[in-house]
Amino acid sequence: GGIITQTPKFLIGQEGQKLTLKCQQNFNHDTMYWYRQDSGKGLRLIYYSITENDLQKGDLSEGYDASREKKSSFSLTVTSAQKNEMAVFLCASSIRGGAYAEQFFGPGTRLTVL
Amino acid sequence: GDSVTQMQGQVTLSEDDFLFINCTYSTTWYPTLFWYVQYPGEGPQLLLKVTTANNKGISRGFEATYDKGTTSFHLQKASVQESDSAVYYCVLAPGNMGYKLTFGTGTSLLVDP
């Protein structure tokens, strides 16, 4: 087994601020993902990284940057926080098997912008 | 592009009731369909995977199948328990071996004891 750790659990920022969310996994998985979860909506993919040196944009990448520092860690930066970005950000990892592979999720970072 | 429609936003049942959640999907590819479940305070976790139409996926008392003719897939359980209270997502995987899952909007199940 393994675990995905997301830090911080709660993040409060000011409008226009640059904010960074971090994710660590010890599954030894190749592929990692960042999703945004808004109330009443499904999960939407922001960025994913197939392997350690890869970075791919998802459907919601505008306003975000991502960085895969090493195999076990994947960071997401909100480049300029906006009031309508109050949401939960979920990190996930999987083996390198495309979307057929089971994704394992962390507990999330809840972002509030004042 | 791919899409998933999950109409039931909230379902309230009593213990031992029958659960049925339905989704419809649209894709140009041969689909693989999942159900993920999210308990309060946790991230989603895989509940079931169905790779072939009309074949059942079974896990933890839940069953899932999909119907290519009606492009629908559903999740059912004969007798729900309070511990099944959670949000259930139907999820479509692209048949082109891509990495982007398409999530439904989720069904929040509340089971009264």
Side-chain angles (χ1 to χ4, degrees):
Chain A
I3 192 167
I4 294 185
T5 304
Q6 291 189 240
T7 54
K9 193 173 176 71
F10 299 96
L11 180 58
I12 300 175
Q14 301 286 334
E15 195 173 5
Q17 195 175 0
K18 185 174 175 180
L19 302 165
T20 298
L21 293 71
K22 293 190 180 292
C23 175
Q24 296 264 357
Q25 54 97 359
N26 65 0
F27 288 97
N28 198 34
H29 284 161
D30 285 312
T31 304
M32 295 185 74
Y33 309 80
W34 275 107
Y35 290 90
R36 178 173 139 179
Q37 183 176 39
D38 293 278
S39 179
K41 300 184 181 178
L43 278 65
R44 291 181 286 173
L45 185 63
I46 306 172
Y47 268 96
Y48 63 105
S49 169
I50 298 172
T51 60
E52 187 173 340
N53 297 313
D54 176 75
L55 205 57
Q56 305 279 345
K57 291 183 178 180
D59 296 325
L60 208 65
S61 61
E62 190 167 335
Y64 302 95
D65 286 328
S67 172
R68 184 83 182 265
E69 296 86 6
K70 50 187 177 181
K71 187 175 182 178
S72 62
S73 66
F74 194 29
S75 297
L76 180 73
T77 298
V78 180
T79 56
S80 178
Q82 304 294 317
K83 274 208 179 287
N84 63 0
E85 281 189 307
M86 284 184 273
V88 175
F89 291 84
L90 292 163
C91 176
S93 72
S94 73
I95 62 171
R96 189 180 174 180
Y100 297 111
E102 178 179 359
Q103 294 186 17
F104 294 83
F105 285 83
T109 292
R110 185 174 295 274
L111 173 66
T112 301
V113 180
L114 301 177
Chain B
D2 292 349
S3 68
V4 172
T5 302
Q6 190 170 359
M7 295 299 291
Q8 298 154 283
Q10 199 157 327
V11 172
T12 301
L13 297 172
S14 299
E15 277 198 329
D16 299 322
D17 280 352
F18 173 71
L19 171 69
F20 183 89
I21 303 173
N22 190 61
C23 290
T24 57
Y25 68 89
S26 173
T27 180
T28 54
W29 305 92
Y30 194 88
T32 291
L33 297 155
F34 301 89
W35 286 95
Y36 275 78
V37 59
Q38 185 174 24
Y39 297 100
E42 300 180 11
Q45 57 183 269
L46 180 65
L47 178 59
L48 282 165
K49 176 179 178 178
V50 184
T51 57
T52 308
N54 301 320
N55 278 5
K56 275 185 197 176
I58 299 175
S59 174
R60 307 186 225 173
F62 290 87
E63 294 182 8
T65 57
Y66 79 86
D67 184 324
K68 270 186 75 177
T70 58
T71 63
S72 64
F73 62 124
H74 69 263
L75 178 72
Q76 66 183 61
K77 188 177 186 186
S79 175
V80 294
Q81 302 303 305
E82 190 179 2
S83 58
D84 293 324
S85 296
V87 179
Y88 294 82
Y89 291 98
C90 47
V91 184
L92 171 66
N96 61 354
M97 298 300 292
Y99 281 79
K100 298 181 186 180
L101 295 175
T102 301
F103 282 77
T105 51
T107 295
S108 177
L109 171 65
L110 177 62
V111 180
D112 291 327

